[in-house]
């Protein structure tokens, strides 16, 4: 059941959306500079801005202003989770689709979030698919993407501060695993993390999805989207695009589960496969024999003081 206090706040905040409308469309730049909005705290702003992702409101936003909505939510979440500034950059329409596959991606070293103009405005997606196509539940998927990238930003912020209250057990274990690998003195730990993850992505999408950071980024985004739309449904009614998004998420997981079970002659669920795969990723990448496996576990045990659990 939706928390009554949050619902009450949501109703008061969302009711004010109509005050910011012109005859047919929202003017987001005007909305986000209004004193009544600027006086809200990050939690209230998050409720307000995610309310704009409901189809009833999203359809009143000019496609050229989708990026304004994303940038505002990005700023709100950075403040909420006490992270430093990140710049969101829109790649031009003539960006080569096959140059690099992504819908939205974060460069934690340059502190930038990249997004393609054709994606944010028209919903032309390519991430995880052989051919680009137009997504019809763009409002929900954009919200998923920004929360997904936010998990990566939060996690890096936690790691650098050596405070892991937002991180999950396996993610901490993954970091400890990175610390057992012989480091390249010319690159930082976080750069080596990115290199390892890129290797998994190139070799096997399932292994990549089962990396703790990716597994939990997808889970975090899915939970945040559903939580936001739980409020939105109470306020605006059902949004058919939410069901499409949920089906798409489950279908992608179903395909990966089927592939894994067919290969290994098993009958695991997606979460059970995660339990099987994430540690095997560590072992297979780090070691060649049983003796090295034992050494990795010993190193993990010695290095746990690095992170405050």
């Amino acid at each position: 059941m939706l928390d009554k206090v949050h619902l009450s706040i949501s109703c008061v905040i969302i009711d004010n959306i109509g005050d910011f409308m012109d005859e047919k469309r929202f003017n987001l730049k005007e909305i986000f500079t209004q004193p009544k909005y600027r006086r809200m705290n990050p939690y209230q702003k998050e409720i307000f801005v995610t309310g704009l992702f409901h189809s009833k409101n999203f359809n009143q936003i000019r496609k050229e202003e989708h990026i304004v909505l994303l940038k505002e939510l990005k700023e709100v979440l950075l403040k909420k989770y006490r992270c430093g500034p990140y710049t969101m950059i829109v790649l031009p329409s003539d960006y080569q689709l096959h140059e690099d596959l992504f819908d939205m991606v974060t460069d934690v070293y340059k502190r930038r979030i990249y997004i393609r103009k054709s994606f944010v405005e028209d919903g032309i997606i390519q991430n995880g698919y052989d051919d680009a196509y137009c997504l019809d539940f763009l409002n929900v998927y954009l919200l998923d993407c920004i929360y997904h990238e936010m998990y990566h930003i939060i996690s890096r912020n936690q790691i650098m501060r050596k405070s892991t209250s937002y991180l999950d057990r396996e993610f901490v274990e993954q970091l400890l695993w990175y610390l057992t690998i012989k480091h390249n003195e010319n690159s930082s730990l976080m750069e080596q993390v990115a290199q390892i993850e890129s290797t998994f992505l190139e070799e096997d999408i399932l292994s990549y999805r089962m990396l703790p950071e990716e597994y939990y980024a997808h889970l975090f985004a899915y939970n945040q989207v559903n939580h936001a739309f739980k409020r939105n449904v109470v306020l605006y009614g059902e949004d058919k695009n939410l069901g499409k998004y949920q089906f798409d998420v489950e279908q992608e997981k179903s395909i990966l589960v089927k592939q894994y079970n067919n290969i290994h002659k098993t009958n695991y669920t997606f979460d059970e496969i995660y339990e099987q795969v994430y540690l095997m990723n560590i072992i297979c990448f780090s070691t060649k024999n049983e003796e090295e496996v034992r050494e990795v576990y010993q190193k993990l045990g010695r290095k746990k003081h690095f992170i405050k659990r």
Side-chain angles (χ1 to χ4, degrees):
M1 182 178 294
L2 189 62
D3 182 273
K4 290 184 179 179
V5 174
H6 284 93
L7 179 56
S8 178
I9 293 174
S10 300
C11 291
V12 172
I13 294 172
I14 301 298
D15 280 346
N16 289 331
I17 286 179
D19 298 340
F20 298 111
M21 289 186 65
D22 61 21
E23 292 182 0
K24 293 183 178 180
R25 298 284 188 179
F26 289 125
N27 185 331
L28 293 184
K29 292 180 181 178
E30 181 181 342
I31 289 175
F32 297 140
T33 56
Q34 287 285 332
K36 64 175 68 176
Y37 174 78
R38 294 172 67 86
R39 286 194 293 267
M40 297 178 189
N41 63 45
Y43 295 89
Q44 293 172 320
K45 286 182 177 179
E46 182 182 14
I47 293 172
F48 181 91
V49 178
T50 54
L52 291 168
F53 281 86
H54 190 283
S55 291
K56 181 177 179 180
N57 296 317
F58 191 81
N59 292 338
Q60 301 303 312
I61 299 171
R62 298 175 183 88
K63 70 176 186 177
E64 296 81 7
E65 286 206 322
H66 290 171
I67 189 62
V68 177
L69 180 62
L70 288 180
K71 285 182 176 180
E72 181 61 25
L73 182 56
K74 179 260 298 182
E75 291 297 326
V76 169
L77 295 176
L78 288 174
K79 289 181 181 179
K80 175 182 176 181
Y81 292 106
R82 295 185 296 170
C83 299
Y86 272 73
T87 302
M88 184 172 283
I89 297 174
V90 181
L91 296 175
S93 296
D94 60 358
Y95 171 79
Q96 298 300 310
L97 285 177
H98 299 293
E99 184 177 307
D100 204 4
L101 292 175
F102 68 86
D103 298 326
M104 186 185 296
V105 67
T106 298
D107 185 330
V108 294
Y109 316 114
K110 295 181 179 179
R111 304 182 72 83
R112 294 175 179 174
I113 302 172
Y114 295 95
I115 189 168
R116 292 181 292 103
K117 185 175 186 289
S118 58
F119 167 57
V120 70
E121 292 189 3
D122 301 311
I124 298 176
I125 72 170
Q126 59 181 129
N127 189 17
Y129 299 89
D130 294 331
D131 299 311
Y133 70 94
C134 188
L135 190 75
D136 65 351
F137 51 93
L138 180 61
N139 62 316
V140 191
Y141 190 53
L142 282 176
L143 189 59
D144 175 281
C145 285
I146 195 65
Y147 275 115
H148 182 111
E149 297 310 317
M150 188 53 56
Y151 185 89
H152 292 316
I153 293 171
I154 296 167
S155 64
R156 290 305 192 275
N157 186 57
Q158 290 271 298
I159 290 170
M160 299 310 294
R161 293 168 59 187
K162 297 184 179 180
S163 173
T164 60
S165 59
Y166 286 111
L167 302 186
D168 297 276
R169 177 182 61 82
E170 295 90 348
F171 196 168
V172 177
E173 190 170 46
Q174 179 192 14
L175 177 62
L176 296 174
W177 158 50
Y178 293 147
L179 296 177
T180 70
I181 299 173
K182 184 178 181 180
H183 298 315
N184 180 345
E185 294 181 356
N186 296 321
S187 61
S188 70
L189 172 62
M190 292 297 99
E191 288 172 330
Q192 293 177 69
V193 169
Q195 292 169 2
I196 292 168
E197 293 180 347
S198 295
T199 299
F200 279 123
L201 179 58
E202 292 171 0
E203 293 180 353
D204 182 0
I205 187 66
L206 176 64
S207 292
Y208 179 75
R209 280 294 305 272
M210 295 304 171
L211 285 168
E213 183 173 7
E214 284 302 316
Y215 177 87
Y216 283 109
H218 279 86
L219 185 61
F220 177 78
Y222 187 75
N223 288 338
Q224 292 298 317
V225 166
N226 280 285
H227 183 68
F229 270 84
K230 191 174 183 180
R231 289 192 301 261
N232 290 343
V233 165
V234 172
L235 294 165
Y236 301 115
E238 295 293 333
D239 188 330
K240 63 180 181 180
N241 288 344
L242 177 63
K244 293 179 181 178
Y245 158 79
Q246 292 169 331
F247 176 80
D248 189 76
V249 170
E250 292 304 318
Q251 185 178 48
E252 181 187 22
K253 290 164 62 175
S254 178
I255 291 172
L256 293 174
V257 166
K258 184 176 181 180
Q259 290 174 347
Y260 182 91
N261 285 329
N262 284 344
I263 292 172
H264 297 278
K265 309 301 180 186
T266 52
N267 191 32
Y268 291 128
T269 65
F270 186 83
D271 293 331
E272 288 171 341
I273 292 173
Y274 169 70
E275 292 295 330
Q276 296 289 322
V277 172
Y278 92 88
L279 186 56
M280 289 308 300
N281 279 342
I282 296 176
I283 294 173
C284 291
F285 193 89
S286 305
T287 66
K288 302 297 182 183
N289 54 53
E290 276 191 29
E291 183 177 352
E292 290 185 7
V293 172
R294 289 195 294 272
E295 289 178 359
V296 168
Y297 277 112
Q298 290 173 357
K299 289 178 181 178
L300 286 174
R302 288 198 298 270
K303 290 181 178 292
K304 286 184 178 179
H305 66 276
F306 177 82
I307 294 294
K308 295 179 182 179
R309 298 299 299 274

